[in-house]
């Protein structure tokens, strides 16, 4: 199928061609005609499926009918509202809206918290047809009377399950009460709980159910691997892996904000370009870091789950779980950053003996036994306990050093620490592993040049385990 068969106007077909897309993804094939037909949609789709274009393209087409070039703010009322759970996701959706709408006379604004409200107020006062917002900040603007919803024709709720996790449902209910009843509504979620079903019931009228991938399944283009390692050796192993794949951009997941900053510092001190992104950083810092990573100027981005939610980086080749997530679903979300839109991806997990339980939960959920590949010199079963204990000792000392570095703006203690480069450390030499030799990556770590024929070969549709309609208890039959 080609985009022209979906009934899109030439301005949008041009924008899609500008983006380099040759074929609509499965969710686009299903959702675009339905949304163009004016129906409400309940979409079961994860990030990476192309769902953003799936709802943005028909939304733009609807608004384009009454687009105008007038300078008067009154001629540009808010006609579409897109709600997203995080600033990063809101910004990404905004970029899609402005990218796909580049040949149309429509204005868009991105409204999120953590930054001064004044610039957003001015933008809203100038008049915008499309507002992409996080719920809390949107309500701040409602209170300030800088935004009005009387003319809203379309509402999109993106990543509803994450909205729920983040406690936004009461805010969304308040927003729903302010919107005109006569509107088109679209709800997207990767998973469907009872709460989401209730929300959908309240928000959607006779929705068309569209599901493109089984819940909690992972893209078939991703290769998974587990490297067993003791907790104290993890960062050395990470640096080792990164050093032996010098051209590869990697997103590394850690569990805590503090661990996030420390790990990025450690990598930087060892000559690997890295930065951290987590909730305690200012919006400006987060935006800059993200831009540097997306632009390829930053090689390693260390992130927590919340900060990385919805992160969309074209052709990101590899995600590394420095620590396993404690919820198996988060594994699916994390590794969904790679292997997108038909590209190959790698999901590497560094797993300590204490994390075995989480690993088995993940394997159960994704119905896959992840191959276990010991990296010589790092496998806790072959590294002698004394050596590992001594490394843990160093690692604790280093952690102390890092903490000092944090308080004192980079103390000397922290900077003295170095992991072995070319010369083997006594510990590793004792185990017979020579760092001066090039690392021989396993099949799943080897760079995978092979690409699918087009930039956007669609992810093969996966048969749903249980139909979405069954999960939703007849919602679509209203
Ligand atoms: P999403 O699931 O909306 O986050 O999109 C995932 C990625 O797929 C984004 O980087 C899009 O730019 C890309 N994408 C969306 N639609 C297509 C398409 N039809 N062909 C190629 N890439 C696409």
């Amino acid at each position: 199928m080609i985009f022209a068969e979906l009934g899109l106007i030439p301005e949008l077909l041009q924008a899609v061609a500008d983006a380099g897309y040759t074929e609509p993804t499965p969710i686009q094939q299903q959702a675009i005609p339905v949304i163009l037909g004016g129906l409400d949609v309940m979409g079961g789709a994860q990030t990476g499926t192309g769902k953003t274009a799936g709802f943005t393209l028909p939304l733009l087409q609807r608004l384009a009918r009454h687009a105008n070039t007038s300078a008067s703010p009154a001629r540009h009322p808010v006609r579409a509202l897109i709600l997203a759970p995080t600033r990063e996701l809101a910004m990404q959706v905004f970029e899609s809206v402005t990218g796909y709408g580049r040949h149309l006379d429509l204005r868009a604004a991105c409204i999120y918290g953590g930054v001064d409200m004044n610039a957003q107020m001015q933008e809203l006062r100038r008049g915008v047809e499309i507002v992409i917002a996080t719920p809390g900040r949107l309500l701040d603007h409602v209170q300030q009377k800088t935004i009005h919803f009387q003319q809203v024709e379309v509402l999109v709720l993106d990543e509803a399950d994450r909205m729920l996790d983040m406690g936004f449902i009461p805010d969304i209910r308040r927003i729903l009460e302010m919107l005109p009843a006569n509107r088109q509504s679209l709800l997207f979620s990767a998973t469907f709980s009872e709460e989401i079903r209730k929300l959908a019931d309240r928000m959607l009228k006779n929705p068309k159910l569209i599901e493109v991938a089984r819940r909690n399944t992972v893209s078939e283009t991703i290769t998974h691997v587990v490297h067993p390692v003791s907790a104290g050796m993890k960062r050395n192993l990470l640096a080792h892996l990164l050093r032996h794949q010098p051209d590869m951009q990697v997103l590394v997941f850690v569990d805590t904000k503090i661990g996030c900053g420390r790990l990025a510092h450690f990598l930087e001190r060892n000559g690997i370009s890295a930065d951290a992104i987590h909730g305690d950083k200012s919006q400006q810092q987060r935006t800059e870091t993200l831009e540097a990573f997306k632009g390829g100027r930053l090689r390693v981005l260390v992130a927590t789950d919340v900060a990385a939610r919805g992160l969309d980086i074209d052709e990101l080749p590899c995600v590394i779980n420095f620590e396993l997530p404690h919820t198996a679903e988060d594994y699916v979300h994390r590794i969904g950053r790679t292997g997108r839109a038909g590209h190959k991806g790698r999901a590497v997990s560094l797993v300590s003996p204490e994390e075995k339980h989480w690993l088995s939960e993940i394997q159960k959920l994704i119905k896959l036994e992840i191959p276990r590949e010991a990296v010589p010199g790092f496998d806790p079963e072959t590294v002698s306990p004394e050596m590992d204990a001594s490394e843990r000792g160093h690692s604790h000392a280093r952690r102390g050093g890092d903490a000092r570095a944090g308080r004192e703006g980079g103390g000397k203690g922290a900077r003295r620490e170095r992991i072995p480069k070319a010369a083997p450390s006594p510990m590793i030499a004792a185990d017979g592993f020579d760092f001066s030799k090039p690392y021989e990556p396993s099949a799943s770590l080897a760079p995978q040049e092979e690409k699918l024929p087009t930039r956007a070969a669609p992810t093969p549709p996966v048969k749903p385990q249980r139909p979405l309609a069954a999960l939703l208890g007849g919602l679509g039959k209203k």
Side-chain angles (χ1 to χ4, degrees), residues 3 16 19-25 28 46-54 89 92 96 100 310-315 340-341 343 455-457:
F3 276 100
V16 161
Y21 306 164
T22 51
E23 239 192 304
T25 64
Q28 291 162 4
Q46 298 171 351
T47 48
T49 54
K51 72 175 157 68
T52 316
L89 185 64
Q92 274 169 205
S96 295
Y100 303 136
L311 229 165
D312 176 20
I313 296 140
D314 271 353
E315 300 178 39
R340 294 185 140 203
H343 290 288
R455 178 169 180 255

